[in-house]
């Protein structure tokens, strides 16, 4: 490692896993730089959950109280039949198996702001830039940035999401590692003309679903349209107009408020369209480059565990780098200690079996019966998968 610190580390991605990793590496004495392709930190965003082992990570970071202050506190989820009539309403914890009194639900942008605030004074951030090329040689990694700048780092970590550019540069195209789960989705914001407050509404018909999500009692909603599809719609990936046309055609003729949602989707300037998928890698590192969070093991939003895996993975990777004799041993230990936890949480959802989005009339009827039972039974206890990893207390050598 170089210089007077433990070494220099470049992290690609300033969403969740990147700043969390920067926090722990900085605490252990590394000199950290974070590069982010967006021109600034991304605010707002849909709510995400922090559960189980990840709660202990944010406690150890000293940011738990800040996150509790921006806790969303969703109080009710209402499920609807295809004609818009109610199936049932229930508390979210009964559905996801969370610990209602301790789990955190915050906007993604609020979590990013808190993490950024915890590291910005001690971490170099390079916004509006990204990694264009990596030359990993025996002693370091030479990095060429999209801006044309060139620098050398001891280590590089990709924390740049499901479609990771860092992963592509070191392990090749995404396709061999991408596990499509049989769903596509479109997310967008729209006006809250429905009178919703601290709640979500989920509409289902076989193979299609829509949701409205009110974070607090503001005048804006998160809209969501989800549908099954045998193969990913590759032709639409880089064409927003094709995405809008595809989603509108899938939901054409549906009842309830679907015409309003598809109209809002067409008009939205923040449409996000993608497939529901996971990343499964045979290894999480190559040479002096490692991956963390969705870049290494995206579980899909259907598990509700993407953020928690990112926070836990960042803690484990940093701790192993601080205590192992070299980066090779650290990357091996990181994967050995964390992979079983990751795989348990990825297995919460497999292809075509998402309980929230049944694809057949029979599956929808069974799901609705199960939801009705949840309203009459005690709330489900925390899923064991969420806390399947006990965090070690790393003690770095001087």
């Amino acid at each position: 490692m170089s210089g007077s610190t433990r070494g220099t580390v470049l992290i690609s991605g300033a969403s969740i896993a990147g700043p969390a990793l920067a926090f722990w590496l900085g605490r252990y004495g590394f000199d950290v730089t974070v590069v982010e392709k967006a021109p600034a930190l991304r605010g707002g965003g849909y709510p995400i959950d922090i559960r189980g082992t990840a709660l202990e990570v944010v406690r150890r970071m000293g940011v738990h109280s800040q996150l509790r202050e921006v806790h969303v506190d969703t109080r009710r989820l209402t499920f609807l039949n295809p004609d818009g009539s109610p199936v049932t309403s229930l508390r979210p914890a009964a559905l996801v198996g969370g610990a209602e009194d301790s789990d955190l639900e915050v906007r993604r942008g609020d979590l990013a702001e808190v993490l950024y605030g915890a590291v910005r004074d001690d971490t170099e951030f390079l916004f509006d830039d990204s990694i264009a090329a990596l030359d990993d040689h025996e002693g370091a990694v030479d990095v060429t940035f999209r801006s044309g700048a060139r620098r050398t780092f001891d280590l590089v970590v990709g924390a740049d999401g499901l479609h990771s550019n860092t992963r592509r540069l070191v392990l090749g195209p995404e396709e061999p590692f991408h596990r499509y789960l049989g769903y596509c989705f479109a997310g967008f914001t729209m006006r809250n003309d429905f009178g919703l407050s601290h709640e979500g509404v989920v509409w289902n018909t076989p193979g299609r679903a829509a949701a409205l999500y009110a974070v607090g009692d503001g005048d804006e909603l998160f809209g969501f349209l989800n549908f099954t599809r045998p193969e990913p719609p590759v032709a639409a990936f880089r064409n927003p107009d094709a995405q809008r046309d595809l989603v509108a055609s899938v939901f054409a003729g549906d009842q309830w408020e679907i015409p309003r949602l598809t109209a809002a989707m067409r008009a939205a300037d923040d449409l996000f369209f993608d497939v529901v998928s996971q990343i499964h890698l045979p290894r999480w590192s190559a040479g002096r480059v490692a991956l963390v969070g969705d870049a290494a093991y995206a579980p899909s939003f259907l598990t509700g565990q993407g953020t928690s895996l990112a926070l836990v993975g960042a803690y484990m990777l940093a701790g192993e780098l601080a205590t192992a004799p070299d980066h090779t041993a650290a990357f091996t230990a990181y994967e050995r200690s964390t992979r079983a936890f990751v795989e348990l949480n990825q297995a919460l959802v497999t292809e075509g079996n998402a309980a929230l989005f049944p694809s057949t009339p029979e599956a929808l009827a069974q799901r609705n019966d199960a939801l009705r039972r949840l309203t009459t039974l005690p709330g489900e206890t925390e899923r064991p998968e969420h806390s399947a990893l006990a965090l070690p207390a790393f003690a770095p050598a001087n």
Side-chain angles (χ1 to χ4, degrees):
M1 298 291 183
S2 62
S4 60
T5 68
R6 288 181 178 271
T8 56
V9 182
L10 173 67
I11 300 170
S12 176
S15 180
I16 306 303
L21 179 62
F23 175 91
W24 291 110
L25 289 177
R27 173 165 290 191
Y28 295 137
F30 290 85
D31 185 3
V32 182
T33 298
V34 177
V35 62
E36 167 56 48
K37 65 181 180 181
L41 201 66
R42 295 168 179 169
Y46 53 86
I48 51 86
D49 298 297
I50 304 172
R51 307 187 182 103
T53 303
L55 287 168
E56 181 59 21
V57 174
V58 297
R59 289 191 185 100
R60 294 187 187 186
M61 294 179 76
V63 299
H64 184 273
S65 60
Q66 291 176 261
L67 295 173
R68 177 56 64 182
E69 290 176 2
V70 293
H71 177 61
V72 170
D73 187 27
T74 300
R75 299 163 188 169
R76 179 175 62 185
L77 289 176
T78 299
F79 289 84
L80 305 178
N81 289 304
D83 63 0
S85 60
V87 175
T88 190
S89 295
L90 68 164
R91 299 283 294 185
L95 180 67
V96 301
E100 192 166 26
D101 293 337
S102 61
D103 286 2
L104 291 170
E105 182 186 22
V106 299
R107 290 176 187 255
R108 172 171 287 274
D110 287 341
L111 175 57
E113 286 280 0
V114 168
L115 295 177
Y116 176 68
V119 300
R120 63 187 173 193
D121 292 338
D122 304 308
T123 303
E124 178 188 19
F125 279 83
L126 306 175
F127 287 102
D128 198 21
D129 209 348
S130 59
I131 299 173
L134 294 170
D135 180 12
D136 183 354
H137 50 81
E138 182 178 351
V141 185
D142 296 329
V143 179
T144 303
F145 293 93
R146 178 173 50 84
S147 63
R150 295 184 179 182
R151 291 174 60 177
T152 298
F153 298 88
D154 293 308
L155 302 171
V156 174
V157 180
D160 44 354
L162 175 69
H163 304 298
S164 169
N165 175 58
T166 310
R167 185 183 63 232
R168 178 186 61 81
L169 290 171
V170 295
L171 297 179
E174 180 176 304
E175 287 73 17
F177 316 122
H178 182 273
R179 186 173 299 178
Y180 176 56
L181 297 183
Y183 302 91
C184 302
F185 71 94
F188 49 93
T189 54
M190 60 184 292
R191 285 190 58 80
N192 184 4
D193 296 327
F194 300 84
L196 300 177
S197 175
H198 293 277
E199 63 186 307
V201 177
V202 182
W203 171 94
N204 290 93
T205 196
R208 300 186 297 284
L212 293 171
Y213 200 88
V215 178
D217 52 8
D219 59 2
E220 195 172 69
L221 289 172
F222 291 101
F224 181 87
L225 295 164
N226 182 89
F227 57 96
T228 59
R229 191 174 180 88
E231 299 293 333
V234 177
F237 282 160
R238 299 186 183 278
N239 187 335
D241 289 336
Q243 295 166 8
R244 289 177 166 86
D245 290 344
L246 172 63
V247 176
S249 67
V250 167
F251 286 86
D254 281 324
Q255 302 178 57
W256 185 53
E257 301 285 357
I258 300 304
R260 289 177 66 185
L261 267 76
T262 55
M265 178 271 301
R266 281 196 176 278
D269 60 6
D270 61 349
L271 175 67
F272 181 79
F273 177 89
D274 206 345
V275 295
V276 181
S277 55
Q278 296 179 337
I279 294 296
H280 292 259
L281 295 175
R283 65 187 192 280
W284 298 346
S285 63
R288 289 179 169 270
V289 182
L291 302 167
V292 68
D294 281 357
Y297 33 77
S300 92
F301 76 87
L302 295 177
T303 67
Q305 282 293 92
T307 298
S308 291
L309 292 188
L311 291 167
V312 173
Y315 177 88
M316 297 299 292
L317 174 55
E320 299 294 0
L321 282 169
T323 55
D326 56 47
H327 71 276
T328 302
F331 291 165
T332 299
Y334 157 58
E335 186 167 341
R336 183 178 61 242
S337 60
T338 314
R339 183 177 279 275
F341 174 67
V342 163
E343 291 179 347
L344 279 172
N345 283 276
Q346 287 184 317
L348 291 170
V349 174
T350 55
E351 185 175 349
N353 81 335
L356 280 177
F357 308 123
S359 57
T360 67
E362 296 77 15
L364 180 57
Q366 292 171 2
R367 195 285 308 270
N368 287 346
D369 287 342
L371 290 175
R372 294 186 188 100
R373 288 195 299 272
L374 284 175
T375 63
T376 60
L377 296 173
E380 187 175 346
T381 57
E382 181 186 1
R383 291 184 186 273
E385 295 89 347
H386 297 169
S387 300
L389 175 65
L391 287 185
F394 292 105
N398 293 328

